[in-house]
C-alpha cells in the first residue's frame, strides 16, 4: 500500500498554462528560470563558504566557522538537488534542517581534537545520512498527501530508486561540468592575457572567484538537467546498462575468489600487506551496486539477458561471505592492536555489509529466480535504517574516543603493549578529551617512562613530533634542542614559534638558529646524528610577521638602456657570506 501520488500543480504552485514539458512527472511544471536561480544561489553560497574558511594556513580555523561553512555547503547542495517548484518550501525546510545538523556535527568534530579538522568520520557518516535521506524526501514529497513522513517504508520503490540514480547522475554530471567550465575560463583568460588584458587571469588567481564560479557552474548544471529529466532518465538508463554488463565479470571473479579461498585459506589475505577488511567491503559495495543495476527500478525494468539475470543473485549472495571475511579480519586486527575510532568505524561498516548480505541471501532463498521482487522492499527498509543509523553515529552520543582510550589504557597497564610501542600520538590527537585526560593521569604515574612519554605527548603541537625513525620517539622541548648563534642574542617569541613549526626543526633532534640580519635568521635542522642537514631562512616581512623563506620583493624598475660602445666596464670583487658547520658549507651564499 502506498500513498496516492500528489497530482496537479494547482495546490502547490501558481496556475500554469499547459505546454510541452521535458519533465518526467507531469505534476512538475516547467521552471525556465531554475538554472539561473540555482546558479545564483550556489554562487552566493560559494562566496559565503570562502569567506568562512579563508584564514592563514598556519592558524587553525575556528570551530564555529567550520560549522557555518559546513551548514552552508550542505544546505545549498541538498536544496539544489531536491527542490521543485511544487512544494518548494518542503525542500527549503529539508535543506535547512540537514544543514543545521551537519553544521552542529562539524562544530563538535572540529572542537573534538587539537587539529580543529571538521571533516572526520562523524562528518562523513552525517553526509552518508544526507545522501540516503535526499531521495527518500523526494519520493515522499511526490506521493505524500501532506507533510507527515512516518510511513517511509510504504513509498513506491520504483520512484525511490529512480530518484537515487537520478541524483547520482545529475550530481556527477554537474561536477564534470564544473571542471569543464574551469578549463574553458582558463583558456579564455590565457587568450586575453596574450593581448595584455589580465582581468580574467587575475580573477582566477583569487580564491573567492573560484568558489563563486564553481558554485554557479554546479547550480546552473543541476538546474539545466532537472528541467530535462527525461534526458537524464535516458542517461541514467545508459549508465545502468553499462554497469549491468559488468555484473557477470564481478560475479565470476567473486565465485572463483571464494572457491580459491577454500583451498588456500585466509592466511594469504593477512600476509598480502593490504587491508583485507577494506578490500572485502569495497568488493561487497560493488556487488550491491551492480546487482541493483541489473534488477532495475521494478519488475518491468529488470535486464532480460540470461547471463546478466543470473549474475544478479550470485552478486547478492556473495556479499555475505565477503562481509564475514571483513568481520573476521577486523576482529583479528582489534585483537592484536585494540580499539581505535577508525577500527570502530570499520567494524560498523562490516556489520552493515553483514545486514545487506543477509538480506540478499534471504531474498534469493525466498524468491529464487524472481528474488528481486523480495529484495527491493527489503533494500528500502535497509536504506531507511542506514540513514537513521548513520545519523545516530554522526551525533555526539557515543564517544568512540572514550571507548578507544579505555581499551588502549587497559592494554598498556596489562603489559600487552610497552610504553615504547604505545601510540601516544593517537592518545593525544585522535581520542579527543578522553585521550588527553588519560595522558594527564599518566603524566602523574610513578613509572618514569610512562610519565615522561605522557608529558611529551601533552606538550606536542602535532602528532609528527611523537614519531621517529626507530618507531615511537618523544622529542624534547624545542628549547632543549635549539642552539642560537650568537648565544647572547635571544630570538623573538614570534620567530621562535615560526621556527618550532618549520620543517627544519619541528621533528629534528637538533637544530640551530643563526642570526644573519636584524630581520633574517638561518635555521639548520638534523633528524639524527650523521644525517644530512636541512637549511632555510626565517625572515620578517613588511607586516612584521615571521615567515619561512624570503619575503616577496617588490618589482624593480627596468634597468636604463645602456650603450655598450661607451659604457664603463670593470671587474668587481663581491664578498658573500654563507653558513658552515665544522668548516663544511651548509647554505648557499647570501648577501
Amino acid at each position: 500500500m502506498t500513498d496516492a501520488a500528489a497530482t496537479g500543480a494547482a495546490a502547490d504552485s501558481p496556475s500554469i498554462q499547459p505546454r510541452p514539458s521535458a519533465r518526467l512527472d507531469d505534476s512538475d511544471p516547467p521552471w525556465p528560470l531554475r538554472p539561473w536561480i540555482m546558479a545564483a544561489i550556489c554562487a552566493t553560497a560559494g562566496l559565503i563558504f570562502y569567506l568562512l574558511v579563508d584564514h592563514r594556513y598556519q592558524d587553525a580555523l575556528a570551530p564555529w566557522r567550520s560549522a557555518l561553512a559546513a551548514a552552508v555547503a550542505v544546505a545549498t547542495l541538498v536544496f539544489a538537488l531536491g527542490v521543485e517548484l511544487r512544494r518548494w518550501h518542503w525542500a527549503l525546510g529539508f535543506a535547512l534542517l540537514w544543514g543545521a545538523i551537519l553544521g552542529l556535527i562539524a562544530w563538535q568534530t572540529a572542537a573534538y581534537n587539537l587539529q580543529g579538522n571538521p571533516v572526520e568520520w562523524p562528518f562523513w557518516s552525517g553526509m552518508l545520512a544526507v545522501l540516503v535521506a535526499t531521495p527518500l524526501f523526494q519520493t515522499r514529497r511526490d506521493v505524500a498527501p501532506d507533510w507527515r513522513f512516518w510511513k517511509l517504508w510504504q513509498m513506491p520503490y520504483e520512484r525511490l530508486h529512480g530518484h537515487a540514480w537520478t541524483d547520482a547522475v545529475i550530481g556527477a554530471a554537474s561536477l564534470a561540468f564544473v571542471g569543464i567550465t574551469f578549463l574553458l575560463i582558463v583558456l579564455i583568460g590565457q587568450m586575453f592575457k596574450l593581448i595584455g588584458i589580465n582581468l580574467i587571469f587575475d580573477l582566477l588567481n583569487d580564491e573567492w572567484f573560484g568558489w563563486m564560479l564553481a558554485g554557479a557552474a554546479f547550480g546552473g548544471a543541476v538546474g539545466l538537467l532537472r528541467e530535462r529529466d527525461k534526458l537524464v532518465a535516458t542517461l541514467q538508463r545508459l549508465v545502468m546498462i553499462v554497469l549491468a554488463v559488468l555484473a557477470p565479470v564481478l560475479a565470476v571473479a567473486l565465485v572463483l575468489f571464494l572457491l580459491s579461498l577454500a583451498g588456500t585459506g585466509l592466511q594469504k589475505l593477512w600476509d598480502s600487506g593490504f587491508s583485507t577488511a577494506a578490500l572485502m567491503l569495497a568488493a561487497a559495495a560493488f556487488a550491491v551496486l551492480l546487482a541493483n543495476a541489473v534488477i532495475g527500478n521494478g519488475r518491468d525494468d529488470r535486464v532480460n539477458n540470461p547471463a546478466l539475470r543470473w549474475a544478479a543473485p550470485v552478486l547478492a549472495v556473495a556479499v555475505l561471505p565477503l562481509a564475514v571475511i571483513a568481520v573476521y579480519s577486523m576482529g583479528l586486527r582489534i585483537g592484536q592492536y585494540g580499539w581505535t575510532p577508525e577500527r570502530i568505524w570499520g567494524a560498523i561498516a562490516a556489520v552493515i555489509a553483514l545486514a545487506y548480505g543477509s538480506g540478499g541471501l534471504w531474498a534469493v532463498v525466498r524468491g529464487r529466480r524472481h528474488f528481486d521482487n523480495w529484495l527491493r522492499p527489503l533494500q528500502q527498509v535497509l536504506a531507511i535504517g542506514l540513514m537513521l543509523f548513520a545519523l545516530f553515529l554522526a551525533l555526539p552520543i557515543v564517544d568512540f574516543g572514550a571507548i578507544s582510550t579505555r581499551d588502549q589504557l587497559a592494554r598498556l597497564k596489562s603489559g600487552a603493549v610497552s610504553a615504547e610501542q604505545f601510540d601516544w600520538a593517537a592518545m593525544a590527537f585522535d581520542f579527543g578529551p578522553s585521550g588527553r585526560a588519560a595522558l594527564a593521569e599518566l603524566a602523574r604515574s610513578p613509572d618514569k617512562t610512562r610519565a615522561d612519554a605522557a608529558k611529551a605527548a601533552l606538550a606536542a603541537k602535532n602528532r609528527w613530533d611523537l614519531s621517529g625513525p626507530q618507531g615511537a620517539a618523544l622529542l624534547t622541548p624545542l628549547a632543549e634542542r635549539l642552539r642560537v648563534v650568537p648565544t647572547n642574542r635571544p630570538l623573538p617569541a614570534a620567530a621562535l614559534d615560526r621556527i618550532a613549526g618549520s620543517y627544519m626543526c619541528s621533528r629534528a633532534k637538533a637544530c640551530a638558529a643563526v642570526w644573519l640580519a636584524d630581520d633574517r635568521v638561518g635555521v639548520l635542522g638534523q633528524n639524527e646524528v650523521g644525517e644530512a642537514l636541512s637549511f632555510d631562512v626565517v625572515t620578517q616581512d613588511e607586516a612584521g610577521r615571521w615567515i619561512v623563506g624570503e619575503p616577496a620583493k617588490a618589482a624593480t624598475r627596468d634597468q636604463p638602456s645602456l650603450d655598450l660602445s661607451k659604457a664603463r666596464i670593470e671587474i668587481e670583487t663581491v664578498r658573500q657570506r654563507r653558513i658552515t658547520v665544522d668548516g663544511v658549507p651548509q647554505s648557499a651564499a647570501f648577501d
Side-chain angles (χ1 to χ4, degrees), residues 71-83:
V72 169
V74 172
T76 304
L77 177 65
V78 172
F79 183 75
L81 285 176
V83 68

Side-chain angles (χ1 to χ4, degrees), residues 282-304:
F286 268 103
V288 172
L289 176 68
L290 297 185
N292 276 277
V294 173
I295 66 176
N297 293 343
R299 184 176 305 176
D300 298 332
D301 196 43
R302 63 167 70 118
V303 177
N304 294 322

Side-chain angles (χ1 to χ4, degrees), residues 534-572:
S534 59
F535 171 80
D536 208 335
V537 295
V538 174
T539 56
Q540 191 175 29
D541 61 16
E542 294 180 355
R545 299 173 301 183
W546 288 88
I547 61 173
V548 176
E550 298 285 355
K553 296 181 179 179
T556 57
R557 294 182 179 179
D558 294 335
Q559 187 178 7
S561 58
L562 296 175
D563 184 352
L564 182 61
S565 62
K566 300 178 181 178
R568 184 176 71 257
I569 301 176
E570 298 175 323
I571 298 176
E572 181 181 12

Side-chain angles (χ1 to χ4, degrees), residues 382-540:
L382 287 173
I384 297 170
L386 177 61
M387 177 196 68
L388 297 175
F389 188 47
L391 178 60
F392 171 78
L393 294 175
L395 297 175
I397 298 173
V398 181
D399 191 343
F400 288 0
I403 297 172
S404 303
T405 298
R406 288 193 296 268
D407 183 68
Q408 295 295 336
L409 277 179
R411 288 169 51 82
L412 177 64
K413 294 177 180 178
S414 66
V417 60
S418 65
E420 290 75 17
Q421 297 173 327
F422 189 71
D423 196 346
W424 299 99
M427 190 69 72
F429 295 98
D430 296 340
F431 295 174
S434 298
R436 294 189 288 275
L439 286 176
E441 181 181 349
L442 288 172
R444 299 188 294 269
S445 171
D447 187 323
K448 187 176 185 305
T449 302
R450 293 182 184 178
D452 291 344
K455 291 176 182 177
L458 287 171
K461 293 186 176 181
N462 57 69
R463 62 186 312 113
W464 297 280
D465 287 350
L466 305 176
S467 62
Q470 283 81 34
L474 300 169
L475 294 175
T476 58
L478 179 65
E480 301 177 19
R481 296 182 283 122
L482 178 65
R483 294 174 55 194
V484 181
V485 180
T487 57
N488 60 351
R489 187 177 181 183
L491 292 168
L496 193 60
D497 288 342
R498 181 58 61 233
I499 292 172
S502 68
Y503 72 93
M504 298 87 68
C505 286
S506 62
R507 293 181 290 279
K509 287 195 172 180
C511 56
V514 184
W515 280 101
L516 306 178
D518 291 341
D519 59 354
R520 186 162 55 167
V521 178
V523 183
L524 298 158
Q526 185 181 43
N527 291 335
E528 292 290 338
V529 176
E531 290 188 4
L533 306 183
S534 59
F535 171 80
D536 208 335
V537 295
V538 174
T539 56
Q540 191 175 29

Side-chain angles (χ1 to χ4, degrees), residues 248-263:
V249 178
L250 182 59
V252 172
L254 290 179
V255 169
L256 294 177
F257 173 76
L258 294 173
L259 291 177
S260 300
L261 286 181

Side-chain angles (χ1 to χ4, degrees), residues 106-119:
W107 192 340
Q108 194 274 337
T109 304
Y112 189 75
N113 285 321
L114 297 179
Q115 297 95 326
N117 182 16
V119 187

